[in-house]
Amino acid sequence: MTVGNGAGAEKRRLSQLYFLYYAAVGIYMPYLALYLQQSGMNGVAIGSTMGLLPVIGSSLRCFGGGCRTDGGKPSP
């Protein structure tokens, strides 16, 4: 087994994970606004909620990336 095959398999798994994540978000997000509207929220509250979700997601990705790289320390 070569190093390239392992890296290719890891890249394929990661791409499948991203595909499934964005597919789920694409299916879920349009209906979230309708659900919130039917539950009695007004337009400003729905817009704030829908706008906050990507901001929180981006912040968590940055935090997760910082944890993954060990704070910018060089790897051996």
Side-chain angles (χ1 to χ4, degrees), residues 4-63:
N5 289 339
E10 184 177 333
K11 184 176 179 181
R12 186 173 52 248
R13 282 190 304 244
L14 186 60
S15 65
Q16 290 171 349
L17 176 69
Y18 271 102
F19 174 78
L20 291 174
Y21 170 75
Y22 285 111
V25 168
I27 292 169
Y28 171 73
M29 287 297 281
Y31 295 107
L32 179 62
L34 293 173
Y35 171 75
L36 294 175
Q37 183 181 19
Q38 288 181 352
S39 68
M41 290 179 76
N42 64 7
V44 174
I46 293 172
S48 299
T49 302
M50 298 295 287
L52 253 156
L53 292 176
V55 171
I56 292 171
S58 297
S59 301
L60 290 177
R61 283 187 201 106
C62 291
F63 176 74

